[in-house]
Amino acid sequence: MGQNEVAVLDRHAGAIGTAPAGDIVVVALLYDGVVPAVAQYGDALAGKVIVDISNPFNSTFDGLAHHEETSIAQEAAKAAPAGASVVKAFNTVFRHVLEMGRPDVFIAGDSAQAKAGVGAFVESLGLRPLDVGGLKMAHWLEGAGVVTVGLANHGVGTWTSPSASPNFPSKQTVDCAF
């Protein structure tokens, strides 16, 4: 991986199939758009690290939208082209945490090289990456996202829960490939 060139795929993305510019591609979509976007970009993602930041919350924000022991990252990995790696990261870091200090960013993935690249990117943002293991751990990171929202909904901390403001803003300007 180069110098952590990052591209973001989000709801403002343009033509599907245009190769994202970065070595690391952050998929900033609601959970139900992640797998279709990875499938639609197809071979344009070959050789890239795909970072899933989604949280598959149910409609009441008190559980996961899926009931299987899987994750959106694991499903995205199934749709990703050969040579692409998927890493789950940033899903437990909400705006208030970024505004209040240097949070830890949990990362899960099956490729040590991909996790090292994402870890270097996380560090370049002034944050601390914590490797929680293989991509199977993404399921538990999604559950941790639910726990974080539950804490906020019950007055823990000094912030508004993502159920009131579900956007995930970034403190870093990154190149977007649209």
Side-chain angles (χ1 to χ4, degrees), residues 2-157:
Q3 293 270 334
N4 291 322
E5 293 179 41
V6 177
V8 176
L9 303 180
D10 69 7
R11 67 178 181 260
H12 304 293
I16 297 295
T18 303
D23 298 328
I24 298 173
V25 179
V26 177
V27 183
L29 296 168
L30 294 176
Y31 76 90
D32 59 355
V34 173
V35 174
V38 169
Q40 287 178 357
Y41 272 91
D43 289 339
L45 297 173
K48 298 185 182 292
V49 176
I50 302 164
V51 180
D52 168 32
I53 67 170
S54 71
N55 276 307
F57 298 144
N58 64 17
S59 63
T60 56
F61 286 80
D62 62 358
L64 296 174
H66 55 75
H67 300 287
E68 302 169 28
E69 193 167 315
T70 189
S71 67
I72 301 306
Q74 288 170 285
E75 297 305 309
K78 292 176 188 175
S85 297
V86 176
V87 173
K88 182 77 169 189
F90 293 104
N91 74 301
T92 61
V93 181
F94 298 105
R95 180 182 62 214
H96 84 287
V97 178
L98 289 171
E99 291 171 346
M100 295 175 69
R102 183 178 186 256
D104 296 331
V105 176
F106 301 118
I107 60 175
D110 291 337
S111 166
Q113 182 179 1
K115 290 191 292 185
V118 172
F121 172 63
V122 168
E123 287 176 339
S124 78
L125 298 173
L127 310 175
R128 183 172 71 159
L130 296 175
D131 185 344
V132 301
L135 197 57
K136 184 175 180 178
M137 292 299 291
H139 173 75
W140 301 107
L141 290 181
E142 290 176 353
V146 174
V147 170
T148 302
V149 170
L151 290 168
N153 284 339
H154 290 91
V156 177

